[in-house]
Amino acid sequence: LSAINDDKKKNDDDTQNVLLRQEADKLSLRLLKLGMMIACVVACVASSVPRFFPFILSNDAMVHSAVRPLALPLAISALLTAPVAVSEGILLAQRQLKYLASVYLLSTLAFPFGLFAIKRSQGPVVQVWYGFAIFQLFRSLAFTGRIWGPKVWNTLIHLKGNNKGENNVAIA
């Protein structure tokens, strides 16, 4: 009788964990959507200053022409800030500290090498901003991939299997 009660308690705990995981996944997606909406607004506003209103930054015509090309990489960087920030928070909540630290370390070590390469080639300032956009893209892919990658991958495999006419039957 004790073994039956232990099995029932384990099944109840498993069911509760599945429900909690589903709610956590829903909350994570809501946060990502909200973050992306806010990031879109911020990216549009921030990039419009160098592109359309450079006089806010300076009265010098040379500065105006120098900052205009920065609008696109600034917009990309600002937009990518949302998935980075949201997924960092989720990974912190999941206590995936080693993974976060490894991505921080790798991205922080790699970025200066890119900047030094730009400096050696005497590239324009816009390349620095594109470098930052790539930095943000790397972190965004690393963090969001850690959270949603397996689910997306499993969904794609499932869709591919269905497109081949295969029957996906669950085995109990």
Side-chain angles (χ1 to χ4, degrees):
L1 190 58
S2 175
I4 293 172
N5 285 338
D6 289 344
D7 285 345
K8 183 178 179 338
K9 183 176 180 340
K10 183 182 180 325
N11 287 339
D12 290 345
D13 288 346
D14 289 345
T15 301
Q16 185 66 25
N17 286 339
V18 168
L19 293 174
L20 287 173
R21 183 78 220 154
Q22 288 172 344
E23 285 302 311
D25 289 346
K26 287 179 189 177
L27 177 60
S28 297
L29 281 174
R30 277 193 305 246
L31 290 172
L32 182 62
K33 288 176 186 176
L34 178 63
M36 289 304 295
M37 288 188 293
I38 293 168
C40 284
V41 172
V42 170
C44 287
V45 171
S47 64
S48 69
V49 171
R51 181 74 183 141
F52 303 112
F53 310 109
F55 56 85
I56 293 174
L57 303 172
S58 172
N59 292 328
D60 189 339
M62 284 183 60
V63 172
H64 294 179
S65 63
V67 298
R68 277 195 176 94
L70 304 180
L72 181 59
L74 177 61
I76 294 168
S77 298
L79 189 60
L80 289 170
T81 299
V84 169
V86 169
S87 55
E88 277 176 336
I90 293 166
L91 292 169
L92 281 169
Q94 293 175 348
R95 307 264 193 285
Q96 294 195 33
L97 303 179
K98 287 181 183 178
Y99 182 78
L100 283 166
S102 67
V103 173
Y104 291 149
L105 181 65
L106 181 61
S107 61
T108 303
L109 288 175
F111 188 56
F113 288 106
L115 294 179
F116 287 133
I118 293 168
K119 182 179 179 183
R120 273 192 308 277
S121 71
Q122 298 179 352
V125 172
V126 71
Q127 288 181 353
V128 173
W129 282 94
Y130 276 113
F132 184 66
I134 292 167
F135 172 80
Q136 287 291 80
L137 178 62
F138 171 77
R139 291 175 59 186
S140 176
L141 291 173
F143 294 153
T144 59
R146 180 71 170 205
I147 297 166
W148 293 287
K151 292 176 191 86
V152 171
W153 185 252
N154 288 336
T155 300
L156 291 175
I157 289 173
H158 178 74
L159 290 175
K160 184 179 175 186
N162 284 342
N163 289 339
K164 288 183 177 180
E166 297 173 2
N167 291 330
N168 293 325
V169 179
I171 300 173

